[in-house]
Amino acid sequence: MEYRQLGSSGLRVPALSFGTGTFGGHGPLFSAWGTSDVAEARRLVDVSLDAGVTLFDTADVYSNGASEEILGAAIRGRRDSVLISTKTGLPMGDGPQDWGASRARLIRAVEDALRRLGTDYIDLLQLHAFDASTPAEEVMGTLDQLIAAGKIRYAGVSNYPGWQIMKAQAIADRHGWPRLVAHQVYYSLIGRAYEAELMPLAVDQGLGALVWSPLGWGRLTGKIGRDRPVPAGSRLHETEQFAPPVETEHLYRVVDALETVAAETGKTVPQVAINWLLRRPTVSSVIIGARNEEQLRDNLGAIGWSLTPEQVAALDVASDVLPPYPHTPYRQQEGFARLNPSLV
């Protein structure tokens, strides 16, 4: 396994990490993702650790806390061998204090997560979504308190707009508080919007990207393609309404390129899709998920080899889309591109 720095922090994380959204299977969304109990989760953790995957990502909202509970049980007795990343901020109930990133909510959410995980510290706490109702100074001050208390080691965010990340970093700098070190983002060959603004921001601010859904919400598994509609057993039938959108022809174009490269390399379509991500700027770790050991072992095969420059170029061309304004002219107009070649 390859290990990388998480952004500009001193924390070293594996290039592949394991996402535990499949643990528990409570509710309509998460039951479609997977239903791993403690015994199966322990086996998946065993396989991950054997491969050098030491970072396990979860969230309080995954199966209403059951994912954290099952992960805690699966790693019992080997806490020092793993890194735990969890997220909070999305609603965990209908009460006014059951969502968001207020001081009261964050402190209680961390205490609840520690109890469910069966540990006394969290390696990386990420704010699962931007809370516009809580001042950024309150959020960053609370994260500083939690770090000082030893409850969390590092802090990051997930699915945040760039201007809010910059605001948070500026506040941290002004007060001498710890800065955000990670941004958990959607990024895949059929979802490259991250590159337009958030990737340059991550380079500038030292944020390591933790990539969720590297297979485009299950669309890049090799089971879907031209003349191959979504198979009967696919979770997409139940979850596509929650998935990042993709235009059908664009999906097929990317799948065509993936299948060509897979044939050239002798690798599977998912392995090629994940390997492409591993070489992208700012990516500290790609989060792989699996409903069973077979899926996990296939995803683990994405590391230990490299695509050729020609293969990378073919995938780049097939997956390329024009970014939205204000990034568009930097791709379309010579003067803009000359001023900012790094943005092209």
Side-chain angles (χ1 to χ4, degrees):
M1 180 56 61
E2 174 189 351
Y3 296 89
R4 304 174 173 187
Q5 300 301 126
L6 181 60
S8 60
S9 79
L11 184 62
R12 285 179 288 276
V13 298
L16 296 180
S17 48
F18 186 86
T20 66
T22 56
F23 290 4
H26 298 175
L29 174 59
F30 296 107
S31 61
W33 280 12
T35 56
S36 295
D37 58 12
V38 173
E40 185 171 33
R42 188 175 290 116
R43 177 57 184 162
L44 294 173
V45 169
D46 290 344
V47 173
S48 296
L49 290 176
D50 286 345
V53 175
T54 54
L55 175 59
F56 297 87
D57 181 74
T58 185
D60 55 8
V61 75
Y62 292 172
S63 292
N64 197 32
S67 173
E68 289 180 328
E69 291 176 350
I70 293 172
L71 175 60
I75 65 170
R76 190 165 296 141
R78 43 188 174 178
R79 176 65 181 92
D80 292 341
S81 300
V82 304
L83 299 171
I84 296 176
S85 161
T86 193
K87 302 179 288 295
T88 192
L90 292 175
M92 287 289 287
D94 296 326
Q97 305 301 327
D98 291 335
W99 58 275
S102 69
R103 179 173 290 108
R105 163 72 172 126
L106 282 181
I107 291 173
R108 190 181 75 178
V110 167
E111 294 292 349
D112 287 345
L114 291 172
R115 173 180 48 79
R116 287 190 291 262
L117 288 162
T119 186
D120 56 2
Y121 69 97
I122 294 164
D123 296 284
L124 174 64
L125 178 73
Q126 296 159 99
L127 306 179
H128 211 160
F130 168 54
D131 174 12
S133 66
T134 300
E137 196 144 6
E138 179 177 338
V139 175
M140 296 305 292
T142 305
L143 293 175
D144 172 62
Q145 293 171 17
L146 290 166
I147 291 173
K151 301 294 179 69
I152 66 176
R153 301 293 196 246
Y154 296 90
V157 293
S158 180
N159 307 316
Y160 254 55
W163 72 277
Q164 278 296 334
I165 292 176
M166 286 304 307
K167 187 173 181 179
Q169 300 291 60
I171 290 170
D173 289 345
R174 185 162 64 245
H175 292 279
W177 295 336
R179 303 177 104 234
L180 302 172
V181 300
H183 192 187
Q184 190 166 144
V185 297
Y186 170 59
Y187 188 24
S188 77
L189 273 165
I190 55 169
R192 294 177 60 180
Y194 168 70
E195 297 174 356
E197 182 168 340
L198 294 176
M199 181 184 283
L201 182 150
V203 171
D204 182 73
Q205 293 297 304
L207 290 169
L210 300 174
V211 177
W212 63 265
S213 203
L215 300 181
W217 205 269
R219 298 183 178 105
L220 301 180
T221 61
K223 298 176 182 177
I224 301 170
R226 296 185 190 275
D227 302 318
R228 296 198 311 276
V230 179
S234 173
R235 72 185 187 189
L236 275 170
H237 293 291
E238 289 79 29
T239 67
E240 191 166 19
Q241 60 181 312
F242 306 109
V246 59
E247 194 270 328
T248 301
E249 179 54 34
H250 181 63
L251 169 62
Y252 291 160
R253 186 165 60 248
V254 171
V255 171
D256 289 344
L258 279 168
E259 290 177 339
T260 298
V261 174
E264 293 172 354
T265 58
K267 304 296 183 179
T268 67
V269 165
Q271 289 168 352
V272 173
I274 294 170
N275 191 276
W276 179 86
L277 282 169
L278 288 169
R279 305 305 156 197
R280 306 302 290 175
T282 76
V283 172
S284 291
S285 189
V286 174
I287 302 171
I288 56 175
R291 287 186 283 181
N292 52 55
E293 184 176 339
E294 180 184 5
Q295 288 182 349
L296 174 56
R297 290 191 180 278
D298 184 74
N299 287 342
L300 290 171
I303 203 161
W305 57 280
S306 296
L307 296 164
T308 67
E310 293 76 17
Q311 290 165 343
V312 171
L315 294 170
D316 287 348
V317 169
S319 61
D320 185 49
V321 294
L322 194 65
Y325 177 84
H327 310 285
T328 312
Y330 293 92
R331 290 278 299 276
Q332 289 181 316
Q333 299 179 34
E334 181 182 354
F336 281 80
R338 186 175 299 168
L339 284 167
N340 293 273
S342 65
L343 299 181
V344 178

